[in-house]
């Protein structure tokens, strides 16, 4: 048998070529592998198709759920419950946000809108007063937001993901600080519902510790945007964070009794430099916009009595409380120049609100309403008075001496403010004029909102703070008198004596005066025994009722000729503060201190002060002062009367000083009498407070008329009220 054919295998009949066994086994193995590959390929195709179908269906379902969710949120009812948030809001939200974000590998714009709406609902749930379950859900939601905004709470981060996580956290904080998040408005509504005294806010359905957790989480979220940047507004990349400080000032600092509603444990965080300095900085830069927003803020949910104080007023008191510590002093690292400028701006606008649409006008409208019962009017007025008393308690720090002394010390050292350096109006340096504006507005605020006590606390502070009146008068001297025009006592005496010696009969008058020396010595000894001061220098510059015209020019102050409209706002502020404080001090300043010890001013300075007051009041009464200048004129008139009373008891001013303002513009007796009669008959009680005229000159400053004229004028005006007699005097 052929050896080759011995190993051949005949397959499929005689016509098929015979192959070896090894080739057959190899072929069978290849076919088996092909079948296995085809089977795996078919399974893979089926799996890919199922995954694709699941992806497509999931996407469609997610998009459909998102559309339904948006429609539901846009028309949801005002009542928010825990089950509604968990089942209707959070579960579908987490599903479609996760699916769509994973598929696109980024957050789409429509997803961001949905996130904003979801966060708004979660923040609105803070204001819910529902059952215990909604409180627990609110705590969890706020804790979730707190953890999201704290990178240290992200435990599963690797070093490679740290940068991306930091960017995501900052983006979230930027959104929270923007106006679109409504974060600060929601926190405002929550804090506004808390009791003023935190220890008394115990609710039967809410535990105290849970309320504390909600409050602490809300305050933490409000402060978080301030901590992610150094708040350098010169950097373009940080400009978006300015909105957080603006929203913080508008929504939180305007809450009535904001500090008093929070736990004491949280207040130091609000007083930190990283919070106050950005707020002061943004307010000074955007003050016009923010003041307009404060005036437009809705107070519909406020109690009627609380509407008596506008949001500007509450922002003023909250800033004062935040800037001052619990002890007698400011908080550490406070930007004092910016603090003073912010308080000045708020106080000025608060007084403007009072003049325009303030509570005084509302009180008059209430009293003029015929349909309102007397009991209802009394109740509303009583509520307003009670509110004013508690409201003025918040101004207590500004009435403390340490407050004024610290500001004076900073003004003396010339500390520079970095927060107001970007504002061209404010150079960032605290000056004495800024402190004068500060307390000038405080005087007016205390007079308006504290009618029982008035501005007495501020006047006590200004009058009895050592050296402050001297500083004010120094500023006034530099502004009112020329550089070389200080009125010297020797020059005045020399002028008076030389002019008097020119008159006829002066020797006879001096001889008559000598006969009174014995009596003067007796009076001097009596004053020494009783502790009173002796009379001042004996100024004799009038002879037979004639005024020395040359010497009177020395006491004429040209810079006050067209007051109050003719002087600057700064000078008006200094004059108002000085007149109010010095008139209050004159009430308790005895004659020994005034004449002998000469504190706080020397007699030469007292004569310059008297000349300034005399000129200011006379010229002010001869011009239309207006309602806005009434505080200045009232304080100046009061101070002038006290100075003139001192001079009447113990003469320290020459008589020409009191006559000098009217030397050039003194009206004739007949004109003054007729004007006084007409105005006295026509003016109402309310109008008499604001209208100034020659009639006011006659009644307020009669000493500007010489003796003969004043005697004739008093006879025409006061002794006889018959109009025919007045015409006879003419």
């Amino acid at each position: 048998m052929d050896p080759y054919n011995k190993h051949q295998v005949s397959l499929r009949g005689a016509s098929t070529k015979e192959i070896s066994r090894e080739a057959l086994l190899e072929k069978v193995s290849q076919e088996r592998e092909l079948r296995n590959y085809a089977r795996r390929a078919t399974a893979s195709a089926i799996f890919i198709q199922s995954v694709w179908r699941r992806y497509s269906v999931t996407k469609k379902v997610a998009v459909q759920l998102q559309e339904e969710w948006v429609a539901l949120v846009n028309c949801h009812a005002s009542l928010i419950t825990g089950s509604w948030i968990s089942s209707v809001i959070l579960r579908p939200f987490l599903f479609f946000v996760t699916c769509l974000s994973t598929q696109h590998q980024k957050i789409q714009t429509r997803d961001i809108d949905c996130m904003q709406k979801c966060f708004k609902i979660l923040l609105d749930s803070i204001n819910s007063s529902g059952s215990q379950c909604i409180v627990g859900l609110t705590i969890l939601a706020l804790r979730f937001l707190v953890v999201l905004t704290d990178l240290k709470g992200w435990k599963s981060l690797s070093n490679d993901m740290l940068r991306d996580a930091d960017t995501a956290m900052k983006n979230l904080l930027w959104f929270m600080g923007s106006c679109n998040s409504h974060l600060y408005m929601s926190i405002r509504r929550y804090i506004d519902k808390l009791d003023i005294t935190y220890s008394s806010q115990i609710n039967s359905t809410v535990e105290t510790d849970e309320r504390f957790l909600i409050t602490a989480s809300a305050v933490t979220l409000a402060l978080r945007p301030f901590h992610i940047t150094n708040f350098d507004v010169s950097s373009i990349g940080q400009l978006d964070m300015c909105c957080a400080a603006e929203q913080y000032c508008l929504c939180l600092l305007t809450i009535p009794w904001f500090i008093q509603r929070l736990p004491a444990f949280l207040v130091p965080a609000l007083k930190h430099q990283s919070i106050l300095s950005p707020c002061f900085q943004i307010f000074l830069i955007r003050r016009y916009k923010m003041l307009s927003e404060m005036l437009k803020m809705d107070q519909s949910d406020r109690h009627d009595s609380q509407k008596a104080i506008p949001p500007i007023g509450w922002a003023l008191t909250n800033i004062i409380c935040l800037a001052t510590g619990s002890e007698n002093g400011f908080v550490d690292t406070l930007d004092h120049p910016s603090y003073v400028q912010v308080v000045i701006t708020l106080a000025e606008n608060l007084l403007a609100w009072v003049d325009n649409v303030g509570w005084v006008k509302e009180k008059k409208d209430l009293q003029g309403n015929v349909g309102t019962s007397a009991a209802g009017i009394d109740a509303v007025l009583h509520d307003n008075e009670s509110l004013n008393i508690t409201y003025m308690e918040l101004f207590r720090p500004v009435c403390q001496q340490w407050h004024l002394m610290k500001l004076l010390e900073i003004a003396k050292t010339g500390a520079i403010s970095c927060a107001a350096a970007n504002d061209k109006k404010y150079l960032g340096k605290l000056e004495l004029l800024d402190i004068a504006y500060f307390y000038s507005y405080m005087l007016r605020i205390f007079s308006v909102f504290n009618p029982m006590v008035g501005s007495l606390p501020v006047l006590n502070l200004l009058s009895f703070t050592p050296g402050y009146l001297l500083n004010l008068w120094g500023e006034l001297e530099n502004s009112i008198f020329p550089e070389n025009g200080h009125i010297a006592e020797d020059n005045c005496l020399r002028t008076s004596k030389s002019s008097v010696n020119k008159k006829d009969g002066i020797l006879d008058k001096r001889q008559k005066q000598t006969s009174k020396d014995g009596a003067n010595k007796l009076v001097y000894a009596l004053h020494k025994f009783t502790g009173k001061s002796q009379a001042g220098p004996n100024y004799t510059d009038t002879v037979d009722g004639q005024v020395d015209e040359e010497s009177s020019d020395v006491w004429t102050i040209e810079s006050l000729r067209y007051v109050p409209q003719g002087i600057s706002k700064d000078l008006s502020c200094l004059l108002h503060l000085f007149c109010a404080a010095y008139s209050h001090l004159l009430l308790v300043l005895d004659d020994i201190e005034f004449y002998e010890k000469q504190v706080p001013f020397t007699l030469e300075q007292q004569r310059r002060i008297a000349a300034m007051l005399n000129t200011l009041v006379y010229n002010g009464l001869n011009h239309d002062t207006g309602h806005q200048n009434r505080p200045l004129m009232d304080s100046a008139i009061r101070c002038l009367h006290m100075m003139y009373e001192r001079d009447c008891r113990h003469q320290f001013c020459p008589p020409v000083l009191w006559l000098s303002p009217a030397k050039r513009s003194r009206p004739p007796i007949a004109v003054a009498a007729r004007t006084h009669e007409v105005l006295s008959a026509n003016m109402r009680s309310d109008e008499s407070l604001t209208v100034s005229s020659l009639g006011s000159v006659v009644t307020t400053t009669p000493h500007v008329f010489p003796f003969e004229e004043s005697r004739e004028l008093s006879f025409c005006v006061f002794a006889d009220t018959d109009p025919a007699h007045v015409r006879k005097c003419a």
Side-chain angles (χ1 to χ4, degrees):
M1 189 176 195
D2 189 1
Y4 176 77
N5 296 329
K6 181 179 180 180
H7 299 284
Q8 299 294 322
V9 179
S10 178
L11 300 173
R12 301 178 185 175
S15 60
T16 303
K17 186 178 180 180
E18 296 178 353
I19 59 175
S20 63
R21 182 179 298 176
E22 289 78 5
L24 180 60
L25 294 175
E26 182 179 1
K27 182 178 180 181
V28 171
S29 177
Q30 291 177 355
E31 292 177 354
R32 186 182 297 111
E33 290 179 359
L34 288 175
R35 289 193 300 271
N36 292 335
Y37 177 79
R39 187 165 49 253
R40 290 196 303 270
T42 302
S44 300
I46 295 173
F47 177 76
I48 292 174
Q49 291 176 2
S50 63
V51 171
W52 174 253
R53 286 194 299 268
R54 179 179 178 274
Y55 172 82
S56 179
V57 172
T58 303
K59 182 179 179 180
K60 292 179 181 179
V61 172
V63 172
Q64 183 178 0
L65 280 177
Q66 187 179 29
E67 294 176 354
E68 296 176 355
W69 187 88
V70 171
L72 178 63
V73 169
N74 291 334
C75 62
H76 77 280
S78 58
L79 181 60
I80 300 177
T81 61
S83 60
W84 183 80
I85 292 179
S86 60
S87 61
V88 180
I89 297 297
L90 291 181
R91 295 183 66 181
F93 169 78
L94 294 175
F95 173 76
F96 67 75
V97 166
T98 303
C99 293
L100 298 179
S101 300
T102 304
Q103 292 175 0
H104 296 92
Q105 297 298 318
K106 64 178 181 179
I107 301 177
Q108 301 291 329
T109 304
R110 60 182 181 182
D111 300 334
I112 295 177
D113 296 336
C114 294
M115 292 179 183
Q116 293 180 0
K117 295 178 181 179
C118 182
F119 281 128
K120 290 178 184 179
I121 294 176
L122 292 178
L123 291 173
D124 289 338
S125 65
I126 300 177
N127 304 315
S128 176
S129 57
S131 60
Q132 188 68 26
C133 60
I134 189 64
V135 175
L137 180 63
T138 302
I139 295 175
L140 291 176
L142 289 177
R143 291 180 61 187
F144 174 68
L145 290 177
V146 170
V147 172
L148 283 181
T149 55
D150 186 9
L151 197 61
K152 298 179 180 179
W154 299 16
K155 302 298 183 181
S156 60
L157 291 178
S158 61
N159 295 331
D160 298 336
M161 301 174 60
L162 188 61
R163 179 178 299 178
D164 295 336
D166 182 69
T167 303
M169 182 200 66
K170 289 184 177 180
N171 291 333
L172 177 60
L173 288 176
W174 278 330
F175 165 71
M176 291 172 57
S178 64
C179 301
N180 297 327
S181 66
H182 293 269
L183 170 67
Y184 292 102
M185 185 57 67
S186 300
I187 297 176
R188 172 189 174 85
R189 289 196 296 265
Y190 167 72
I191 296 179
D192 200 14
K193 294 180 180 179
L194 296 177
D195 294 337
I196 296 179
T197 304
Y198 185 79
S199 60
S200 64
Q201 57 182 12
I202 300 177
N203 195 315
S204 59
T205 58
V206 180
E207 297 294 336
T208 305
D209 54 350
E210 294 179 345
R211 178 68 68 183
F212 173 79
L213 289 176
I214 295 176
T215 306
S217 300
V219 173
T220 302
L221 292 175
L223 301 182
R224 274 290 164 82
F226 291 87
H227 297 157
I228 66 171
T229 178
N230 57 2
F231 240 89
D232 184 10
V233 296
S234 60
S235 176
I236 300 178
Q238 306 296 342
L239 286 177
D240 294 338
M241 293 311 301
C242 297
C243 185
E246 182 178 348
Q247 292 296 311
Y248 180 85
C249 294
L250 290 175
C251 297
L252 298 188
L253 294 185
T254 56
I255 299 176
W257 294 286
F258 174 54
I259 308 301
Q260 290 72 23
R261 296 177 187 271
L262 298 177
F265 179 78
L266 300 176
V267 174
L270 303 177
K271 296 184 176 184
H272 196 266
Q273 180 187 10
S274 61
I275 308 300
L276 290 181
S277 294
C279 292
F280 292 164
Q281 181 180 7
I282 296 303
F283 182 83
L284 292 177
I285 295 175
R286 303 181 179 179
R287 56 187 175 276
Y288 300 112
K289 175 187 175 183
M290 296 178 65
L291 289 172
S292 178
E293 293 293 333
M294 288 182 183
L295 291 175
K296 297 178 182 178
M297 292 185 67
D298 185 19
Q299 292 184 287
S300 58
D301 56 345
R302 197 68 50 80
H303 191 267
D304 292 337
S305 61
Q306 295 184 6
K307 293 181 181 179
I309 309 297
I312 293 178
W314 294 115
L316 175 62
T317 55
N318 289 330
I319 287 177
I320 291 176
C321 294
L322 287 173
T324 54
S326 57
E327 302 296 333
N328 293 336
F330 290 101
V331 297
D332 297 335
T333 66
L334 177 68
D335 190 354
H336 297 86
S338 298
Y339 159 71
V340 172
Q341 295 295 346
V342 170
V343 172
I344 289 174
T345 305
L346 291 172
E348 182 180 10
N349 285 269
L350 174 61
L351 292 171
W353 177 87
V354 171
D355 293 337
N356 295 331
V357 292
W359 65 275
V360 176
K361 181 178 179 182
E362 293 179 359
K363 182 184 293 184
K364 292 181 180 179
D365 295 340
L366 183 62
Q367 293 175 346
N369 189 0
V370 181
T372 305
S373 61
I377 294 177
D378 294 338
V380 174
L381 295 180
H382 182 268
D383 292 341
N384 289 340
E385 292 178 0
S386 301
L387 174 65
N388 292 337
I389 294 175
T390 56
Y391 176 71
M392 295 310 298
E393 287 293 326
L394 302 177
F395 286 93
R396 182 178 297 178
V398 303
C399 300
Q400 304 297 321
Q401 194 173 65
W402 60 262
H403 188 279
L404 177 58
M405 295 297 293
K406 182 62 176 180
L407 295 181
L408 292 175
E409 179 185 353
I410 295 175
K412 184 178 180 180
T413 57
I416 302 297
S417 167
C418 60
N422 294 321
D423 195 348
K424 296 181 180 179
K425 182 178 180 180
Y426 304 117
L427 299 178
K429 181 180 179 181
L430 184 62
E431 298 180 354
L432 186 64
L433 180 62
D434 300 325
I435 304 175
Y437 271 111
F438 185 100
Y439 283 99
S440 177
Y441 291 137
M442 289 298 129
L443 279 175
R444 296 176 58 188
I445 289 176
F446 272 76
S447 299
V448 173
F449 292 97
N450 195 13
M452 298 297 295
V453 181
S455 56
L456 184 62
V458 184
L459 289 176
N460 288 334
L461 171 67
L462 299 177
S463 302
F464 303 113
T465 297
Y468 185 60
L469 279 175
L470 288 173
N471 294 334
L472 281 180
W473 177 243
E475 290 290 328
L476 284 174
E477 275 190 316
N478 296 331
S479 303
I480 295 176
F481 297 101
E483 295 181 358
N484 56 352
H486 285 185
I487 303 173
E489 184 177 5
D490 296 337
N491 293 335
C492 296
L493 288 173
R494 190 180 303 112
T495 303
S496 301
K497 291 179 180 179
S498 61
S499 59
V500 170
N501 288 333
K502 294 179 182 179
K503 304 295 181 179
D504 295 334
I506 188 62
L507 295 178
D508 297 337
K509 188 169 184 177
R510 286 294 179 90
Q511 291 175 358
K512 294 179 181 179
Q513 185 69 25
T514 306
S515 64
K516 300 180 181 179
D517 289 343
N520 290 338
K521 292 181 179 179
L522 181 60
V523 173
Y524 175 77
L526 181 61
H527 287 325
K528 282 294 185 181
F529 179 76
T530 57
K532 294 183 179 180
S533 172
Q534 62 177 342
N538 184 16
Y539 291 102
T540 307
D541 47 10
T542 59
V543 178
D544 296 334
Q546 300 295 326
V547 179
D548 184 6
E549 300 293 341
E550 295 181 0
S551 62
S552 63
D553 291 337
V554 180
W555 305 105
T556 302
I557 305 175
E558 292 296 332
S559 58
L560 300 178
R561 188 174 182 180
Y562 300 103
V563 292
Q565 287 83 359
I567 60 177
S568 63
K569 184 180 179 181
D570 297 344
L571 182 57
S572 178
C573 173
L574 290 173
L575 287 171
H576 171 231
L577 198 63
F578 177 80
C579 294
Y582 192 43
S583 62
H584 186 70
L585 179 62
L586 287 173
L587 291 173
V588 297
L589 192 67
D590 57 24
D591 289 346
I592 294 179
E593 294 175 324
F594 188 91
Y595 292 102
E596 296 182 3
K597 296 182 180 179
Q598 298 188 15
V599 290
F601 302 109
T602 63
L603 290 180
E604 181 182 353
Q605 291 175 323
Q606 299 285 12
R607 286 187 281 276
R608 291 201 294 269
I609 293 173
M612 179 268 294
L613 292 171
N614 200 33
T615 307
L616 170 65
V617 172
Y618 178 80
N619 293 326
L621 294 176
N622 277 317
H623 297 84
D624 185 13
T625 58
H627 180 74
Q628 66 277 8
N629 297 309
R630 178 186 168 188
L632 169 60
M633 294 304 301
D634 289 345
S635 59
I637 291 173
R638 184 166 56 252
C639 191
L640 174 64
H641 287 171
M642 292 184 178
M643 293 289 287
Y644 186 72
E645 181 184 354
R646 294 266 181 172
D647 187 67
C648 292
R649 293 203 312 267
H650 302 287
Q651 189 178 22
F652 66 95
C653 294
V656 293
L657 183 149
W658 305 110
L659 303 174
S660 60
K663 185 189 68 173
R664 299 179 181 178
S665 60
R666 183 169 62 250
I669 299 300
V671 175
R674 287 197 191 99
T675 306
H676 174 76
E677 178 194 5
V678 172
L679 291 175
S680 299
N682 294 335
M683 284 195 307
R684 303 293 186 267
S685 59
D686 294 338
E687 296 173 353
S688 62
L689 299 177
T690 56
V691 177
S692 58
S693 61
L694 291 175
S696 299
V697 173
V698 172
T699 57
T700 305
T701 58
H703 56 263
V704 299
F705 296 91
F707 176 74
E708 294 296 334
E709 295 184 13
S710 62
R711 183 176 60 180
E712 183 179 358
L713 181 62
S714 62
F715 177 74
C716 294
V717 174
F718 302 105
D720 196 344
T721 58
D722 186 7
H725 183 76
V726 175
R727 289 193 296 270
K728 182 178 179 181
C729 293

